């Protein structure tokens, strides 16, 4: 079983959560070119190591929160932030 | 670009010139029924199917990744274009990636005209592969069923069937009664949670022996002079200006004017080394197999709604698969959630299987793209090519990809059959959406 540290609910089984992908910086919609939007939508860093991502606790507090996870070992560490 | 064959090892072992008609020929180790008998009786060891040559300091083409894609590209470079000074490097053993872990389903009933045409060429190549490679790849065209449990999937299936037919691919929508005839063990009653409304039936689809395909291409490429280096990990890629010049490995540096990335689940790590970013994310995909039982299932059955598919191997085991794990990862550890969900779904389809025992489960890495289509051809770094984005569906594409990548490298032009799959389609907004045909049925 793999546990994720929800900042609101504490450690809970990963099956309660939905993966929302790597945390990225959304370009300013008014200014971004179509090409910049597509880069934001489609391109990820996909590292074999630590990555900062966004998760949704659907079966708990129903909030999005940031998380750091090691993509090879699946270890996680809380970021200390709640959003 | 000059990648003409190097004369010192032009496949001329045993005094025989290479044949360039797409067939591997090596008098050293041609397999036949007679040889099987003679070898069996004499109890001698079989000669190695491919050599372990010393690594050169330069090659005309370096292919990273010894899965079906890398090995097929090497084979067709040698067989179709006479380019034999080629090395295939793998950090582990060949077939250790997705190519040795997949559930070996071959089909061409995709959704887009670009996809259908491409995968159909691969099925055609697979039909002759055993003869071309002199290696039994056990391609069994037993038919492929994709079940529809609701109106929207029935609609997608009709759409697929019509586009398939326009491309000359044998594919049709059948009703639940016909499904029952093909698979008598299937629960086609109307009172279940997800009743079967019909199915997309694709008679030329089937399964192949995945290891045999990998070994057959390796042996065929080796016989034509290609070097296969296992336990050789690429740790860096040298780029000078905007041109690739070679690779670094744990066994030393190699210079090469052409480097091809065929590393599937690891492919962004390799492209990063050349400074090329790709819209690929690595997700694990799990599968499982039961103990063998007597043959009762002679089609491949896929249910997108139930996230499950099943086929029976020649040995009698049932092979099960599903969609990718719910989050990106490089870990190939199986999960209990997967196997519990899978078992439940299988039993909804075929209740009599409740007594069967699972033998094992495993996992492999899949290089997922946003549109469920591959990324093939040149990159902004000259000489650095990619053949990646194979997601959960790339084993069937090994032959056509190898053929097309070999042509791209040999001629410097991207053949039409892969021209829609370029890396630039993502920033230009020309996606080739295959999700409806590839998310669960691989
Ligand atoms: C469980 C499962 C079921 C599947 N079912 C199907 C199916 O039914 N039908 C279908 O068509 N497809 C299926 N697939 C997908 C298919 O397996 C892959 O798309 C296909 O095998 C990819 O082949 P490849 O040659 O590109 O990559 P791989 O076979 O993954 O080979 C990549 C190789 O690169 C090597 N490598 C990585 N990094 C380095 C490095 N730094 N240096 C040197 N070498 C390196 C690896 O060791 C590996 O051997 C399935 C996949 C899985 C996991
Ligand atoms: Zn929570």
């Amino acid at each position: 079983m793999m546990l994720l540290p929800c900042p609101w609910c504490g450690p809970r089984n990963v099956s309660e959560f939905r993966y929302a992908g790597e945390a990225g910086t959304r370009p300013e919609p008014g200014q971004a070119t179509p090409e910049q939007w597509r880069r934001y939508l489609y391109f990820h860093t996909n590292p074999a190591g630590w990555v900062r991502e966004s998760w949704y606790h659907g079966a708990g507090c129903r909030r999005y929160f940031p998380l750091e996870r090691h993509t090879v070992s699946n270890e996680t560490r809380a970021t200390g932030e709640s959003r | 670009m000059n990648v003409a064959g190097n004369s010192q090892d032009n496949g001329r072992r045993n005094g025989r010139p290479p044949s360039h008609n797409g067939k591997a020929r090596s008098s050293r180790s041609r397999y036949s029924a007679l040889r099987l008998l003679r070898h069996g009786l004499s109890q001698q060891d079989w000669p190695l199917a491919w050599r372990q040559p010393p690594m050169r300091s330069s090659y005309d083409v370096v292919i990273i990744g010894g899965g079906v894609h890398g090995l097929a590209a090497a084979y067709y470079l040698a067989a179709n274009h006479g380019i034999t000074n080629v090395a295939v490097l793998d950090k582990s053993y060949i077939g250790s990636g997705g190519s040795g872990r997949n559930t070996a389903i071959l089909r061409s009933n995709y959704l887009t005209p670009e996809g259908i045409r491409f995968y159909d060429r691969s099925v055609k190549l697979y039909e002759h592969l055993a003869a071309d490679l002199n290696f039994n790849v056990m391609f069994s065209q037993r038919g492929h069923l994709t079940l529809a449990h609701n109106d929207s999937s029935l609609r997608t299936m009709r759409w697929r069937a019509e586009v398939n037919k326009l491309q000359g691919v044998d594919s049709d929508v059948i009703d639940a009664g016909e499904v029952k005839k093909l698979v008598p063990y299937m629960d086609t009653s109307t009172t279940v949670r997800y009743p079967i409304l019909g199915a997309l039936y694709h008679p030329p689809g089937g399964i192949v022996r995945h290891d045999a395909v990998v070994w057959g291409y390796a042996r065929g490429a080796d016989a034509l002079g290609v070097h296969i280096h296992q336990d050789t990990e690429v740790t860096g890629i040298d780029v000078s200006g905007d041109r690739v010049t070679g690779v670094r490995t744990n066994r030393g540096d190699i210079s090469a004017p052409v480097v091809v990335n065929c590393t599937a689940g690891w492919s962004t790590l390799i492209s990063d080394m050349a400074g090329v970013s790709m819209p690929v994310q690595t997700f694990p995909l799990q599968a499982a197999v039961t103990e063998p039982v007597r043959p009762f299932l002679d089609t491949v059955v896929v249910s997108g709604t139930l996230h499950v598919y099943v086929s029976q191997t020649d040995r009698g085991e049932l092979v099960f698969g599903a969609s990718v794990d719910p989050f990106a990862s490089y870990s190939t550890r199986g999960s209990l959630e997967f196997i519990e969900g899978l078992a439940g779904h299988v039993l909804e389809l075929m209740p009599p299987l409740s007594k069967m025992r699972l033998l094992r489960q495993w996992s492999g890495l899949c290089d997922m793209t946003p549109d469920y289509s591959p990324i093939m051809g040149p990159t902004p770094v000259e000489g650095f090519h990619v053949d990646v984005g194979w997601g959960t569906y790339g084993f069937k594409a090994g032959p056509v990809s190898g053929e097309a990548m070999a042509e791209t490298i040999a001629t410097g032009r991207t053949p039409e059959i892969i021209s829609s799959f370029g890396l630039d389609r993502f920033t230009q907004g020309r996606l080739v959406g295959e999700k409806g045909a590839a998310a669960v049925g691989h």
Side-chain angles (χ1 to χ4, degrees):
Chain A
M1 187 163 72
M2 180 176 159
L3 297 176
L4 296 190
C6 173
W8 302 95
C9 314
R12 302 283 282 262
N13 192 335
V14 66
S15 60
E16 293 187 2
F17 298 82
R18 187 167 62 76
Y19 171 68
E22 284 180 18
T25 321
R26 183 189 300 152
E28 180 55 51
Q31 263 98 68
T33 63
E35 184 175 344
Q36 283 168 331
W37 259 117
R38 292 177 189 134
R39 278 204 177 272
Y40 165 68
L41 286 177
Y42 302 142
F43 287 70
H44 313 281
T45 55
N46 197 33
W50 287 101
V51 63
R52 191 184 155 90
E53 357 180 86
S54 177
W55 285 77
Y56 174 67
H57 194 183
C61 58
R62 297 208 250 154
R63 289 178 189 238
Y64 286 85
F65 65 95
L67 179 73
E68 283 179 9
R69 185 172 60 94
H70 194 285
T71 59
V72 181
S73 63
N74 279 330
E75 273 174 280
T76 55
R77 54 189 186 209
T79 60
E81 300 152 70
S82 54
R83 46 175 297 134
Chain B
M1 179 176 357
N2 176 17
V3 286
N6 173 322
S7 58
Q8 85 187 66
D9 190 350
N10 217 350
R12 278 172 206 273
R13 284 167 311 109
N14 305 320
R16 287 188 59 146
S19 78
H20 291 177
N21 61 356
K23 297 189 171 25
R25 288 285 175 263
S26 163
S27 54
R28 176 184 59 149
S29 59
R30 196 164 163 76
Y31 296 151
S32 67
L34 189 66
R35 278 199 70 208
L36 186 61
L37 191 69
R38 221 190 301 140
H39 251 279
L41 289 176
S42 66
Q43 298 282 314
Q44 286 165 2
D45 286 341
W46 286 89
L48 289 179
W50 54 87
R51 300 159 298 160
Q52 293 185 352
M55 197 164 91
R56 296 191 192 132
S57 60
S58 92
Y59 288 94
D60 293 336
V61 180
V62 164
I63 296 172
I64 312 172
V68 67
H69 282 267
L71 292 165
Y75 171 75
Y76 291 111
L77 272 170
N80 292 357
H81 304 282
I83 298 172
T84 59
N85 186 25
V86 175
V88 179
L89 314 180
D90 200 288
K91 69 180 168 117
S92 179
Y93 59 92
I94 61 170
S96 56
S99 297
R101 296 162 188 261
N102 68 91
T103 47
I105 297 171
L106 309 186
R107 62 186 178 91
S108 60
N109 58 350
Y110 277 72
L111 189 58
T112 65
E114 300 89 332
I116 296 163
R117 171 179 73 163
F118 173 77
Y119 292 106
D120 191 44
R121 171 73 187 154
S122 218
V123 168
K124 300 259 155 63
L125 287 167
Y126 265 119
E127 285 171 353
H128 298 280
L129 199 60
D132 288 349
L133 297 177
N134 175 231
F135 206 109
N136 186 0
V137 298
M138 301 193 208
F139 184 19
S140 156
Q141 295 185 283
R142 54 184 60 195
H144 183 281
L145 281 173
T146 316
L147 303 175
H149 302 275
N150 54 46
D151 290 338
S152 71
S153 35
L154 208 51
R155 176 182 161 274
T156 313
M157 277 164 207
R158 286 206 191 282
W159 173 6
R160 274 167 72 181
E162 293 314 316
V163 188
N164 286 180
K165 283 184 228 168
L166 280 174
Q167 302 284 322
V169 167
D170 188 0
S171 181
D172 220 336
V173 176
I174 61 174
D175 64 26
E178 291 166 284
V179 171
K180 185 80 180 171
K181 264 186 242 154
L182 287 165
V183 190
Y185 281 84
M186 189 103 73
D187 186 351
T188 50
S189 59
T190 51
T191 50
V192 292
R193 179 164 69 138
Y194 295 122
I196 293 167
L197 305 185
L200 183 67
Y201 182 41
H202 177 49
I207 52 176
V208 71
R209 176 88 181 107
H210 55 352
D211 293 325
V213 175
V214 169
W215 298 333
Y217 272 124
R219 175 168 164 270
D222 170 89
L224 296 174
V226 169
H227 282 189
I228 296 167
H229 299 297
Q230 307 187 79
D231 295 316
T232 306
E233 176 166 4
V234 171
T235 54
I237 295 181
D238 291 323
V239 177
S240 161
D242 56 1
R243 169 150 248 319
V244 75
T245 56
V247 300
R248 295 165 187 230
T249 80
N250 59 336
R251 293 175 54 206
D253 299 351
I254 302 173
S255 67
V258 175
V259 174
V260 192
N261 178 359
C262 295
T263 54
W266 299 267
S267 59
T268 57
L269 307 177
I270 296 292
S271 284
D272 284 348
M273 294 175 189
V276 172
S277 53
M278 302 193 303
V280 166
Q281 243 190 326
T282 299
F283 282 77
L285 176 65
Q286 302 186 53
V289 65
T290 66
E291 60 189 349
V293 291
R294 269 195 278 176
F296 71 94
L297 179 65
D298 61 357
T299 53
V300 180
V301 178
V302 183
S303 166
T305 305
L306 286 167
H307 291 273
V308 71
Y309 61 90
V310 53
S311 73
Q312 188 170 22
T313 68
D314 294 331
R315 271 200 299 252
E317 306 134 323
L318 294 185
V319 175
F320 300 124
S323 11
V324 288
D325 281 4
F327 54 92
S329 176
Y330 287 85
S331 161
T332 50
R333 234 173 119 158
S335 67
L336 184 63
E337 278 97 352
F338 162 78
I339 209 74
E340 278 181 343
L342 179 108
H345 292 150
V346 167
L347 294 183
E348 281 191 60
L349 284 181
M350 295 188 212
L353 299 189
S354 64
K355 296 268 169 9
M356 289 200 56
R357 279 178 299 207
L358 282 175
L359 272 190
R360 60 182 180 276
Q361 76 186 90
W362 67 93
S363 174
L365 302 183
C366 295
D367 40 340
M368 306 301 291
T369 62
D371 58 0
Y372 287 67
S373 285
I375 308 174
M376 301 179 74
T379 67
V381 174
E382 214 188 316
F384 181 67
H385 297 259
V386 293
D387 172 16
V388 303
W390 291 113
T392 62
Y393 41 81
F395 196 77
K396 68 177 71 60
V400 67
S401 307
E403 185 186 59
M405 290 307 295
E407 186 178 336
T408 306
I409 292 160
T411 64
R413 282 187 310 273
T414 309
E416 241 239 91
I417 194 157
I418 60 166
S419 58
S420 317
F421 300 138
L423 177 58
D424 53 7
R425 77 175 181 277
F426 297 97
T427 43
Q428 294 173 0
R430 289 183 284 103
L431 271 57
V432 188
E434 284 288 2
K435 185 169 184 186
V440 178
H442 315 312

